[in-house]
Amino acid sequence: RKEVEQDPGPFNVPEGATVAFNCTYSNSASQSFFWYRQDCRKEPKLLMSVYSSGNEDGRFTAQLNRASQYISLLIRDSKLSDSATYLCVVGLDNYGQNFVFGPGTRLSVLP
Amino acid sequence: GAVVSQHPSRVICKSGTSVKIECRSLDFQATTMFWYRQFPKKSLMLMATSNEGSKATYEQGVEKDKFLINHASLTLSTLTVTSAHPEDSSFYICSAQNDRDNEKLFFGSGTQLSVL
């Protein structure tokens, strides 16, 4: 079983739609959780950290379920500019050498 | 915000040549930097952890003599792909960890290496 798994997609949604991504991780000792966004042939950019209480940033909401070992990302009112690959990142601690990247979920928002 | 500069952004070279990629943290000190490679439609795979003033730590399966890492200062790490071959063609990305706030990673813009 892979350490971090995501639905590869692609998710093709119309503008304005709400879309949700899920991510599961295998190591119950994981401490830190993030969503990164990566455009084609570009570097990943931090979208948001994920906290146990859940957190929201504008149209983006992230949630963490430690018992079930999954993380979710909800995007509301999708924009064309949201088209990208979304990477789930899980860390055993807060140090980068123990970060594991999921394979990514590709999103295409269509006009 | 924190900026990490990586260059070159694209390299095309002949088989057998060596290629050096630089990664600089521009507005923070980074004792630790990381090097990843990414194949098309795949996720990032950590190759090695670069530590300022000491030897890099390589992930299993990554040849340290093939991928030379030097982290000579708190703001610069270099990755040299020695005697590159076509199978080394990939997207290489570095990231740096701010010594004052090590929770987040800041990525360089990546280097697309094509070995002919």
Side-chain angles (χ1 to χ4, degrees), chain A residues 21-95:
Chain A
F21 304 137
N22 290 323
C23 166
T24 57
Y25 60 95
S26 60
N27 193 327
S28 58
S30 300
Q31 297 292 321
S32 54
F33 310 90
F34 311 89
W35 283 102
Y36 278 77
R37 169 200 169 120
Q38 185 176 25
D39 293 291
C40 187
R41 283 290 174 254
K42 301 289 185 183
E43 74 277 19
K45 295 189 177 181
L46 179 65
L47 184 63
M48 56 200 308
S49 303
V50 187
Y51 303 114
S52 297
S53 56
N55 46 302
E56 185 174 311
D57 183 2
R59 297 181 293 109
F60 300 86
T61 301
Q63 291 193 316
L64 167 65
N65 185 319
R66 284 186 182 270
S68 301
Q69 295 180 202
Y70 85 82
I71 308 143
S72 64
L73 176 68
L74 183 77
I75 304 176
R76 291 181 298 276
D77 189 23
S78 301
K79 311 291 185 189
L80 295 177
S81 57
D82 293 333
S83 297
T85 296
Y86 291 83
L87 301 172
C88 173
V89 182
V90 174
L92 280 182
D93 50 34
N94 290 327
Y95 301 100

Side-chain angles (χ1 to χ4, degrees), chain A residues 38 41 43 94-97 102, chain B residues 34 38 43 97 102 108 112:
Chain A
Q38 185 176 25
R41 283 290 174 254
E43 74 277 19
N94 290 327
Y95 301 100
Q97 59 263 45
Chain B
F34 306 95
Q38 185 176 32
S43 192
Q97 203 163 46
N102 57 18
Q112 180 63 52

Side-chain angles (χ1 to χ4, degrees), chain B residues 40-91:
Chain B
K41 298 185 180 179
K42 300 292 183 183
S43 192
L44 282 73
M45 296 299 296
L46 180 65
M47 297 175 66
T49 301
S50 173
N51 302 297
E52 186 270 337
S54 64
K55 291 182 179 180
T57 304
Y58 289 81
E59 295 301 299
Q60 191 173 11
V62 179
E63 299 176 57
K64 61 181 181 181
D65 295 329
K66 172 78 172 175
F67 300 99
L68 299 178
I69 291 173
N70 185 282
H71 194 150
S73 77
L74 288 172
T75 58
L76 173 64
S77 175
T78 61
L79 169 69
T80 301
V81 183
T82 61
S83 187
H85 288 95
E87 57 266 29
D88 298 323
S89 299
S90 186
F91 191 55

